[in-house]
Amino acid sequence: MGKLSAVFVLVSITLLPLQSCRGGNPVYDELMRRGVTIGPQEVVRLPAPTLTDGLTAAQQRQAIEAVAEGTHTWEELTRRSVVAPFVLKLPKDDTEQGRLGRRVDLWFIAYGNMSTLENNEWLERQFKATGSETDPENGAVIKVLPESELQRHGLRPPQGPEDPQFVFAELTLLDRVRLSVTTRGAKLQSPESVISSSTLEPRFANDPQNPNRWRPILRDDNGRRYLGKSEPYFGYGSYAKATRLVDPPGAILIEYHVAFAEPEGWFNGTNLLRSKLPILAQMIVRQLRRELAKSH
């Protein structure tokens, strides 16, 4: 499993395969109200969406240009190309000593049919394209939890579109960490946008089958890799919003905002993951643009 797949899986956790809520998105509302809890004294707040529904073409452009902060022109941002620029922001205070919370904000414009992003079958195909191997060190393992596993924690299985869905994912980060999480997610659609959100479900902290945990990937004296001691994982929340632009025709702004805990033991306190994110984001953006255009 390559580096792209591991990070793309984190994006996919937010997008797939979520229930579409009729009256609202309870997971998103919770994220906006409480933020993402990283520890007893640390909470990371996610920004509100850049675009709200009902904006004019001029208002949408103004908001997107404000995010770009002059780094790219409107013509560059809206270029119909998989290699058009994107905007990636990593808050500087993430690196303050003692902070375990990290935040990533990503914006890019893609072209395609908005209904494609509302189609769970298409999304699931992109999801599976990240790889579904079950290699205990490298493969991504992702599944929607069945009713039997939810009932063990007193959770009601989804009865309808308004109920959140629970997804388990296990993946490798930069060949150094094996991470598994169970998340609760939901999706809300409108004529102009679709917003999907996901947050860590704490009731699975010590679950024997789908735990929230991480393990270091170590090497023995012969260079063979093995998984180290299991440690609890305790902080993750994200949302993605796709908004149809009034102009140019067929353009969609996709924004992704995530907050997560990066334990000290992941990379021994270095900013390894942060340094890799720009190239990883580039690969993710290009892949999503390519697949969205292909489906149009």
Side-chain angles (χ1 to χ4, degrees), residues 197-267:
S197 54
S198 181
T199 187
L200 196 70
E201 177 48 64
R203 276 174 281 199
F204 285 82
N206 299 310
D207 187 84
Q209 299 178 31
N210 311 295
N212 298 326
R213 70 178 183 188
W214 68 272
R215 290 174 292 176
I217 297 176
L218 307 172
R219 293 183 183 273
D220 62 21
D221 294 339
N222 296 315
R224 290 189 294 265
R225 301 196 304 175
Y226 66 96
L227 294 175
K229 179 185 175 183
S230 175
E231 300 285 351
Y233 189 67
F234 43 84
Y236 168 82
S238 67
Y239 77 87
K241 184 175 185 182
T243 306
R244 187 197 319 271
L245 298 187
V246 178
D247 188 61
I252 300 169
L253 175 71
I254 299 176
E255 51 183 303
Y256 177 65
H257 306 282
V258 58
F260 61 95
E262 184 179 316
E264 181 77 14
W266 273 17
F267 310 114

Side-chain angles (χ1 to χ4, degrees), residues 134-139 141 168-181 208-209 211-218 226-233 263 265-267:
T134 55
D135 175 348
E137 290 184 0
N138 292 312
V141 179
F168 172 76
E170 187 171 10
L171 60 147
T172 296
L173 293 173
L174 303 181
D175 297 322
R176 300 279 294 276
V177 175
R178 187 67 175 169
L179 172 68
S180 68
V181 292
Q209 299 178 31
N212 298 326
R213 70 178 183 188
W214 68 272
R215 290 174 292 176
I217 297 176
L218 307 172
Y226 66 96
L227 294 175
K229 179 185 175 183
S230 175
E231 300 285 351
Y233 189 67
W266 273 17
F267 310 114

Side-chain angles (χ1 to χ4, degrees), residues 7 10-11 44-47 87-91 94 101-107 237-239 255-260 262 273-274 277-278 281 284:
V7 177
L10 289 176
V11 178
V44 177
R45 299 284 178 179
L46 296 179
V87 177
L88 175 69
K89 295 187 178 182
L90 309 172
D94 280 2
R102 305 287 184 262
R103 202 182 92 199
V104 179
D105 302 304
L106 173 66
W107 298 260
S238 67
Y239 77 87
E255 51 183 303
Y256 177 65
H257 306 282
V258 58
F260 61 95
E262 184 179 316
L273 182 58
R274 184 183 180 94
L277 281 172
I284 293 168

Side-chain angles (χ1 to χ4, degrees), residues 46-61:
L46 296 179
T50 299
L51 297 185
T52 57
D53 289 1
L55 298 181
T56 65
Q59 289 171 326
Q60 288 181 335
R61 175 172 176 170

